[in-house]
Every structure is written in C-alpha cells, then in structure tokens.
Amino acid sequence: MDNEKPIVDFSALRDELGKNYEPVQVMDGQAKVIKPEIVSKYSNDQLVDFLKLMIWERTLHQRSNALTRQGRLGFYAPTEGQEASEMGSNSAMKKTDVLMPAYRDIPQLIQHGLPVYKAFLWSRGHVLGNEYPEDLHAMPPQIIIGAQYVQAAGVALGIKKNGTEDKVAYSYTGDGGTSQGDFYEGMNFAGAFQAPAVFIVQNNGYAISVPRRKQTAARTLAQKAVAAGIPSVQVDGMDFLAVYEVTKAAREFAAAGNGPVLIETLTYRFGPHTNAGDDPKRYRTKDEEQPWFDNDPLIRYRKYLTDQGAWSEDQENDYVEQVKADIKDAVKQADDAPKQKMTEFLKNVFEEQPQNIQQQITEFQAKESK
Amino acid sequence: MSKKTYIQAITDALRLELGSDEKTLVFGEDVGKNGGVFRATDGLQAEFGEDRVFDTPLAESGIGGLSIGLALEGFRPIPEIQFLGFIFETLDSIAGQMSRERFRTGGTRHMPITIRSPYGGGTHTPEMHADSLEGYLAQIPGLRVVTPSNPYDAKGLLISSIRNNDPVFFLENLKLYRSMKADIPDEAYTVPLDKANVVREGTDISLIAYSAQVNQSLKVAEKLEKEGISVEVVDLRTLSPLDEETILKSVQKTGRAVAIQEAQRQAGIAANVASLIAEKGALYLSAPVGRVYAPDTVYPFGLAEDDWLPAEDEIEAKTREILNY
C-alpha cells in the first residue's frame, strides 16, 4: 500500500509552481547588453535622460537622508537601490494616468508632478504637502500596506466606466505588501472587472526586517497574479531599460482594455526601512548586502554611457550640483509654508459643517486670534 | 403618495437617485440580478443596466477600496455591505481611508460615498448579522452615521446621504424592513442630515432614541399618556455627529431624559447623548440621565436574542424610574 501512487502528486505540482518566471533583463550588472534590440531603440541622449532620472533620485535620497538627520524632514523611507525600479516603471506612465503610491514612492510622485517642496511638507506632516492640483492624478502616499491596491482597482474601474481612452491606474507596494488581503482583493477586483490597472511590486527583499522568504511559500511574488487570472512578469529591478520596457508593455496591454497586469521588480533596499531607528545590521549580513551594492542600478547605465562617450564624471557632477540646488530651493519653499491652524483642519473634516465642528471652529478661532 | 414599506422606501430612493444622477453607482454582493439578499435593490439592475448596478466579488475591503477609487474618478458610489457585522473586513476603507480623504488632502478631494448596510436584532439571524456597531462608526471623524426609524425618513435621509459630498454610513434596520408601512411621496425629497426629529412632543420627560427603539419609545409614550404623563420622543436620525441643539432643547423643556439604544452599554451612542447632557445641560435636569441598552456581552445566539435586546418594558421601567427619581 505504501508504494501506491497517490491520485494526485502534490509534490510534483508544488515543485512546478512559479517555475516559468525568468526575470526580464536588458543590460546586466556589468553593463553587458543582453537585449541589443531593445537598447538600439534608444538614442544615447534618451539613455542619458534615463540615467539622469536615476541620478536625480539618488541625489534626492542623499539630500533627504541628510535633511532627516538634521531634523529638517520628518518621515522618510530611503529609496537608495530602487532607482531603476521606481524611475523605470514611472517613466513608462503618462501624466494622465492615476498614481496610487505608498510611502517609499515619493520620487515617482514628484516625477508625476508633485512639487519637491510639497513632498518635503508631507514628510514634515504639513497638509499643504497633500493639497494636489486637479491635474496631478495621484493620491498622497498610502501608509496602510496594500490599501492603495483596492483603491487602484476602483480608479481603474472608474476609468473604464468613464470610457476614458489610453489611461490606466498604477500602484506600488513592496514584497511585504503582497501578504496583505488588500493586495489579493485589489488584483482580484481589477481582474474580475477587466479594469486598466498596472500593479507594481517592488520586491526589495525586506518588509522592515522580515525577509522575502518568510513572507510566502511562493517561489515568486509575480505568480500571485495567476490565481486572479491576470498576467504577470518578473523583471530585473536594477535594470532601468528592462523595467521601463516591461512597464510600457504592461501599460499598453491594460490601456487597450485587456485587464490588469502585475509586475514584480527584483530590487534591493540599500538602506534602512525608514530613518526612524531601523538598523539593517540587525537582520542583514554584509555578505548578503555586498553583491546587491555591486549591482547598483546606476552603475550599469553610467558605465555603458561612459564607454559610449555619452556621459562623463564632470557631467554627472554638474548635474548633481544642479539637482542639489533645486532641492535647496524646495527646502526653502517648504520652510515658508504657513503654520497650520486647527480651524483649517476643522474646516476640512466635512464640506457642510455639523454642529460639533462649528462649535470647535468658534472655540479655536478665539484661541488663534489671540 | 404611495404606501411603502421601509425597504421599499429605500429602493425608491435608490431608483430616483440612479435616475437623476448618472454618476451614481449601486454595487455590492448580490445586489445585481438578485436585487440584494433583502431585495433592497430589486429591479434596479434591470432598469439601469449592469454598468450602473452591479455585483462585486465577495470581499468587503475590496468593496470599500473600489468605492474610494470610483469616487476619485468622479462617481458617486452607493455600495452595500450585506450585513453591518461584515464591516470589520473593510474598516480600514471606512475609518482609515474614505473618511479621512477630505482632511488628508486639505479639502482638494472628496468622497461622496454612501455605504448602506442592514443591522439590528430580533430577526433570528446567524452570528455577526444583527450587531449594532454604530458606536464604532460614531468615533470616526469625517463620517456621518445616519439611521432612519420609518419609511418617510428612510427615503428622505437616503437621498440626502447620496447627494452629500462626504461619506455617510447609512444603517437600515432589519426588523423595520417589512414591519413598517407608511404613505410617502412618490417624488424625490430630502430629510436633512445632522438634524434630530422630535417625533412626539411632550413636557415631562425626553426619550432620546434612534432606529427601531424610536418605535418602542413611541409605544411607551402612548401608554404613559393614559396616565397623564407627557413623554417627548426624539429620533436622533444622524447618530454622528449629534444634533446637540435639538437634544438640549428637549431636555431643557422636560428636565428629564432617557437615552436608548439597542447596542451594548459600553461606549455607545446613548453614552454620547448622556455625556452631552451632563456637559451642557446638567442644570436643566431634575434627575440623572437614564440609559437603556443591551448587556455588555457579545450579541447572543438566536434563541436568547429577545432576552438580550432592550424591550419596550425596559424602556417603560427606566422612564418611570427617572420620572419618579
């Protein structure tokens, strides 16, 4: 009896799960071109623009890090290491697309149209940082892990119901976010309604301290889309062009009415979870980190373009100085924001003020006029 | 005018608003072809099409998130949560998200969402189908909690809720769905939000109640009238934020008050009413504020629910106690 073959070979089934995912790569870590047919689509000038986006994000990160340490910013979730993943995906989107970000997606928000000083005000906890003009199609950064996914499904369904052409909703979460119920519900709703959503999972290896392998038994995070009936892909998240091309294709697919797509970018968070006391030394080893640092997304495109004679150290230094100057101006602008008033807060709870709000506005008006 | 039950009044309101505002959407579990498990959306999909009235996958958090996203795209969502006991699955969407958006965005975005949900005991439902959870909802800034006690208010309050540009949690009493009938206007009309209603004038004591408890309070008032006791009954209608003026005015007139709720005592609406009177109306009082409520247990299984729910005789006893204090 012991040797009898079971009616279903679950071990074999399990071993097959997620096997068909092979991360898309255009250029490897040593700047070796893997897909020349993709690279050749772009002029060196275009590639320089892409590299500059990553340098911009890195510089923004470095300044934000420093400003947080000086107490001049509040909440900050470091983005170093995720430049290709964030800029590569965001650049494939249109300004009319709706971005539903999480708190590590500030660089995408800024590239989507949020002024830098408003991003800084958000970090400090000033509501002006969340006052978006109507033509900025985005919501403020989501704090609750996964909540942006169900909302993105709603935006996507709204786009479909409005009959808006060539428009998608796109949303980001991390590897930890894929464990949330809202992650599954968002994908499942968007799939059931065949709504134009692009879901991006930035798998940076850690949900604060908990490694990706402890989040799930799944071989890939991309395969989680399969159960919702939507196509998914893994991409080298340190490879700008790979992320860009994959996201562009995903966007076109979704915008054409084919339903949502899930993209898993394989990246790494070089720094801590946030600057509020997280220390990666408690849960990561140098041996683990070093290969990722060597795989820095800036290195390969910088090397490639330098080899091509299209980029130089001097150019990079000049550009970094320019970005730093812009950031300095943004800090100044943020410093100029008026002090927040309780009466203004109270006025933004409801459109039509009920009695409790009216009473409290009167109370605080008296205090504020003193 | 037509004679309509409480639930027909709700269907009527939905039909009129679907007809007059093309941005309204009705959706939830089983609301489409099936017309809702209680038939509140009966016939609406046939009349307005699957684009406007549709079934969702079975996931409450998804329904909440969907509503928020649709609101961002310019729609006026009217989702149904099949039973109030299921809101724990979507509490983030309600408390953590939609009710905060106006505040969070400095008034640049708004969420004109009306979540409908049946609640209330006495109909022998399974567990988690009858709980009165309005106390949880009442603590959420930016959310209105509204509940009608009769067909006229059901229609008028629902229309007001739908037209309001902020989220409203609209509680529909299960027991009243088919047990109440009234002549109501056929056309659209509104009943104001944030306004309590003095449903019966009196001078000796104020019974402050909502939903099914209003009807029980009215019966007590009629009974006591025969003894020459004049009972005023205030129907809160909007549970959060409270209409403080109407409550205080009534207590100022009568000098005695009983706050009544079907929910457990702890942290409930009646506690809010009592604390309001203590804070702003203590000097009007000739007796302590009385409260009628259910025991601080989990809602019990079917057979015991009638023992657990506050009954008319409990309201009567408490009213007499406060009158004779």
Side-chain angles (χ1 to χ4, degrees), chain A residues 130-133 136 139 142 151 154-155 158 161-162 167 182 185 348-352 354-356 359, chain B residues 23 51 59 61-62 65 69 73 75 97 101-106 109 142 144 165-166 241 243-245 280:
Chain A
N130 279 356
E131 288 180 22
Y132 295 1
L136 172 51
M139 281 301 274
Q142 182 57 250
Q151 295 174 16
V155 172
K161 287 192 180 295
N162 279 325
K167 179 177 174 178
D182 276 356
E185 291 186 32
N348 285 326
V349 178
F350 293 106
E351 182 179 57
E352 292 164 33
Q355 291 169 33
N356 61 329
Q359 289 162 10
Chain B
K23 286 296 183 187
D51 201 41
S61 187
E73 278 300 296
F75 289 93
Q97 310 292 332
E101 298 303 6
R102 181 181 293 283
F103 179 89
R104 181 183 274 153
T105 63
R109 301 289 187 279
R144 281 186 171 84
N165 283 336
D166 290 308
D243 175 3
E244 302 186 4
E245 283 169 15
K280 297 182 177 172

Side-chain angles (χ1 to χ4, degrees), chain A residues 208-335:
Chain A
I208 306 189
S209 68
V210 179
R212 146 69 185 88
R213 68 173 184 279
K214 289 193 178 173
Q215 289 293 338
T216 175
R219 190 191 302 263
T220 70
L221 302 177
Q223 77 200 64
K224 293 190 173 202
V226 172
I230 70 179
S232 58
V233 62
Q234 258 191 342
V235 56
D236 177 356
M238 305 310 238
D239 181 348
F240 185 102
L241 269 190
V243 177
Y244 180 75
E245 281 282 324
V246 161
T247 313
K248 228 174 115 184
R251 189 197 174 282
E252 275 166 28
F253 177 85
N258 298 303
V261 179
L262 180 77
I263 299 168
E264 177 189 2
T265 69
L266 301 173
T267 180
Y268 200 73
R269 191 190 75 211
F270 285 6
H273 165 64
T274 70
N275 277 3
D278 179 45
D279 178 8
K281 284 204 285 289
R282 292 174 69 88
Y283 52 84
R284 296 199 309 217
T285 62
K286 277 219 158 68
D287 286 351
E288 180 200 310
E289 288 174 340
Q290 198 53 51
W292 281 105
F293 293 160
D294 295 340
N295 202 17
D296 185 322
L298 275 67
I299 292 176
R300 62 185 86 171
Y301 284 90
R302 185 192 279 136
K303 182 174 186 310
Y304 175 83
L305 286 166
T306 306
D307 289 350
Q308 297 268 316
W311 189 247
S312 69
E313 207 177 322
D314 284 350
Q315 274 173 288
E316 178 151 344
N317 290 339
D318 286 350
Y319 180 62
V320 167
E321 286 314 310
Q322 184 199 320
V323 175
K324 280 185 181 168
D326 292 345
I327 293 171
K328 206 173 164 185
D329 288 346
V331 173
K332 235 175 113 191
Q333 213 178 342
D335 289 344

